[in-house]
């Protein structure tokens, strides 16, 4: 399984990896991102920006997730870097605490930025990241498979029990081809997909404040949610087992071999690779009758301290995240802009017959994962040890109780070293 949290400190010596991708002129800036699903949209945004700012040229750099954090971490060692970087909230505390990020000024656009999105990037009264929008965890379904197996297509609401029942019906052989019900292998309870179900089940957070410090809180709700997701693989057998298929979950869904796929709202661009795929959004399910509280990510654009083109980078970053023109381009691509509700018509228009209104409906109840501990300086390391231990359970190499116990002990040791970065 792919690790979700990057241990950036390991990559300080990788400065040389950035050679050859840097801005070489006063009017040129470089833009680094890992999100290949947004590639077409990002290029359209860059073209629109350059049209209105002909004195600034933006070079697009798509870096695979597996090496992105190694490359970007080189700036902490004092190396040269991209002028504008994608940043996620897990890694932000480390970069900011190391002085690797420059404060930014959103100007008049700041008033248009949703407070919930921008708050995690504010430290000591200054803003260090401009959020790209709420990137929501969503349920996707294959409408053709639902119809073929006689499963009712959910449009307004459904429960976790109904999800499991549907996944069982959607797991079957079609000739020599195995069809799977759902992608449980991607839903560890430490990542946004599994955490969405954990919060929906009443989870309060996997790290809590205790006295003057922080301790792990892998409680009964965490264990219960984790077991429900593991059961999809090992008990209900509706999800691919580890090594059971050469394809990843998104590839199976893209190929029409999976009925339910839990991912982010950003995957819209991936599904366009198969024009025949009859996909749609489904409502986020309730757990035990409680209203769902799924996660959305708040990735942001940042300007590294090492950038030599900060003024031009600032203009590009501000335009990308606060301008009506940029938000409209994003919404028309079927993605959620920072002010998602204000661009409802454009968003729904881009996703006709996809039940996209369910995504907008879940946003008011959504949470930012680990929101209350975002300013712990070593949060990536803490989350990484949890990810490593849960991987052992998800791949069948240890029991879930043993994994949770080992994770709690490792997390506790790291949390004793945690420092809070600003306010």
């Amino acid at each position: 399984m792919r690790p979700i949290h990057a241990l950036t400190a390991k990559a300080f010596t990788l400065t040389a990896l950035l050679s050859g991708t840097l801005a070489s002129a006063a009017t040129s800036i470089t833009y680094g991102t890992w999100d290949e699903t947004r590639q077409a949209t990002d290029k359209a945004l860059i073209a629109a920006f350059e049209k209105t700012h002909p004195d600034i040229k933006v070079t697009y750099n798509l870096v695979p997730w597996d090496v992105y954090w190694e490359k970007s971490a080189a700036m902490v060692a004092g190396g040269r870097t991209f002028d504008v970087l994608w940043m996620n909230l897990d890694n932000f505390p480390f970069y900011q605490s190391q002085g690797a990020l420059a404060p930014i000024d959103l100007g008049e656009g700041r008033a248009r930025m949703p407070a919930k999105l921008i708050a995690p990037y504010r430290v000591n009264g200054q803003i260090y990241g401009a959020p790209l929008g709420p990137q929501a965890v969503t349920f996707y379904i294959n409408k053709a498979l639902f119809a073929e197996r006689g499963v009712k297509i959910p449009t307004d609401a459904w429960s976790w029990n109904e999800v499991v029942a549907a996944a069982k019906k959607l797991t079957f052989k079609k000739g020599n081809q195995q069809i799977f019900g759902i992608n449980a292998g991607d839903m560890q309870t430490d990542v946004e997909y599994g955490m969405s179900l954990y919060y929906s089940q009443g989870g309060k957070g996997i790290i809590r404040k205790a006295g003057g410090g922080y301790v792990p809180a892998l409680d009964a709700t965490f264990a219960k949610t984790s077991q429900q997701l593991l059961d999809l693989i090992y008990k209900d057998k509706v999800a691919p087992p580890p090594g059971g298929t050469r394809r990843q979950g998104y590839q199976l869904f893209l190929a029409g071999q999976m009925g339910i796929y839990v991912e982010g709202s950003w995957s819209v661009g991936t599904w366009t690779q198969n024009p025949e795929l009859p996909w749609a959004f489904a409502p986020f399910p309730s757990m035990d009758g409680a209203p769902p509280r799924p996660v959305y990510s708040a990735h942001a654009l940042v300007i590294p301290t090492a950038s030599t083109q900060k003024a031009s980078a600032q203009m590009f970053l501000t335009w990308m995240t606060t301008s009506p023109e940029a938000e409209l381009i994003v919404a028309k691509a079927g993605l959620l802009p920072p002010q998602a509700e204000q661009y409802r018509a454009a968003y729904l228009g881009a996703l006709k017959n996809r039940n996209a209104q369910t995504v907008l409906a879940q946003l008011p109840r959504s949470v930012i994962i680990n929101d209350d501990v975002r300013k712990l300086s070593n949060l990536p390391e803490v989350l990484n040890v949890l990810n490593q231990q849960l991987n052992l359970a998800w791949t069948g190499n240890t029991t879930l109780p043993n994994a949770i116990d080992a994770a709690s002990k490792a997390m506790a040791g790291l949390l004793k070293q945690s420092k809070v970065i600003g306010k």
Side-chain angles (χ1 to χ4, degrees), residues 45-55 315 319 325:
L45 287 163
I46 289 170
F49 172 79
E50 290 180 337
K51 186 175 181 180
T52 56
H53 299 77
D55 55 329
M315 292 181 68
W319 184 90
E325 183 179 5

Side-chain angles (χ1 to χ4, degrees), residues 3 25 133 173 284 299 354 356 358 374 389 392:
K173 278 283 188 119
F284 203 91
H299 300 327
R354 305 293 190 190
T358 64
R374 281 293 169 194
Q389 293 302 322
L392 295 176

Side-chain angles (χ1 to χ4, degrees), residues 142 145 148-149 170-181 244-245 247 251-258 274:
N142 182 315
L145 288 178
E148 181 178 343
R149 301 297 289 175
L170 292 163
T171 302
F172 67 104
K173 278 283 188 119
K174 194 172 187 178
N176 294 324
Q177 193 176 68
Q178 177 64 54
I179 309 299
F180 293 98
T245 175
R247 287 178 167 176
Q251 293 171 322
L252 289 168
F253 188 80
L254 184 63
Q257 290 180 251
M258 183 170 283
N274 181 0

Side-chain angles (χ1 to χ4, degrees), residues 2 136-140 183 193 261-267 271:
R2 64 183 176 94
V137 173
T138 55
F139 270 61
Y140 293 97
N183 62 313
Y193 317 118
Y261 185 62
V262 185
E263 247 286 358
S265 56
W266 57 84
S267 291
W271 311 145

Side-chain angles (χ1 to χ4, degrees), residues 24 170 259 383 415:
S24 58
L170 292 163
L383 296 176
L415 286 168

Side-chain angles (χ1 to χ4, degrees), residues 205-421:
I206 59 176
I207 299 169
R208 64 179 175 83
K209 194 168 185 177
Y214 292 83
V215 296
L218 308 183
D219 59 10
T221 302
F222 182 86
K224 178 182 178 181
T225 308
S226 299
Q227 189 62 61
Q228 287 173 311
L229 294 172
L230 270 179
D231 283 349
L232 295 174
I233 303 173
Y234 296 106
K235 178 184 175 182
D236 302 317
K237 301 186 185 304
V238 296
T245 175
R246 294 181 180 179
R247 287 178 167 176
Q248 297 182 42
Y250 84 90
Q251 293 171 322
L252 289 168
F253 188 80
L254 184 63
Q257 290 180 251
M258 183 170 283
I260 304 168
Y261 185 62
V262 185
E263 247 286 358
S265 56
W266 57 84
S267 291
V268 167
T270 302
W271 311 145
T272 60
Q273 297 174 29
N274 181 0
E276 303 302 317
L277 181 68
W279 71 270
F281 291 106
F284 203 91
S286 63
M287 304 290 289
D288 296 332
R293 297 181 65 229
V295 163
Y296 66 66
S297 301
H299 300 327
L301 297 183
V302 299
I303 300 174
T305 305
S307 170
T308 59
Q309 304 291 344
K310 290 187 180 66
S312 295
Q314 175 70 66
M315 292 181 68
F316 176 64
L317 173 148
T318 302
W319 184 90
M320 284 278 284
T321 57
T322 68
S323 73
E325 183 179 5
E327 293 207 72
L328 187 58
I329 290 172
V330 170
K332 285 184 174 180
L335 301 171
L336 293 168
Q339 297 186 95
E341 188 59 40
Q342 283 85 334
Y343 293 89
R344 167 183 286 268
Y347 177 72
L348 295 179
L351 297 167
K352 291 179 179 178
N353 302 317
R354 305 293 190 190
N355 203 25
Q357 69 276 6
T358 64
V359 180
L360 293 171
Q362 76 183 46
L363 291 181
R365 297 190 305 269
S366 295
V367 297
I368 295 177
I369 188 171
N370 301 319
D371 185 45
D372 55 340
V373 292
R374 281 293 169 194
K375 291 177 179 170
L376 293 180
S377 59
N378 65 345
L379 183 62
E381 294 174 85
V382 176
L383 296 176
N384 195 68
V385 297
L386 174 58
N387 179 263
Q388 290 172 343
Q389 293 302 322
L390 286 185
N391 272 345
L392 295 176
W394 248 252
T395 54
N397 289 304
T398 191
T399 65
L400 179 61
N402 284 345
I404 292 176
D405 183 61
S408 293
K409 291 175 181 176
M411 291 169 67
L414 288 169
L415 286 168
K416 289 179 181 179
Q417 307 168 29
S418 293
K419 296 180 181 179
V420 179
I421 58 163

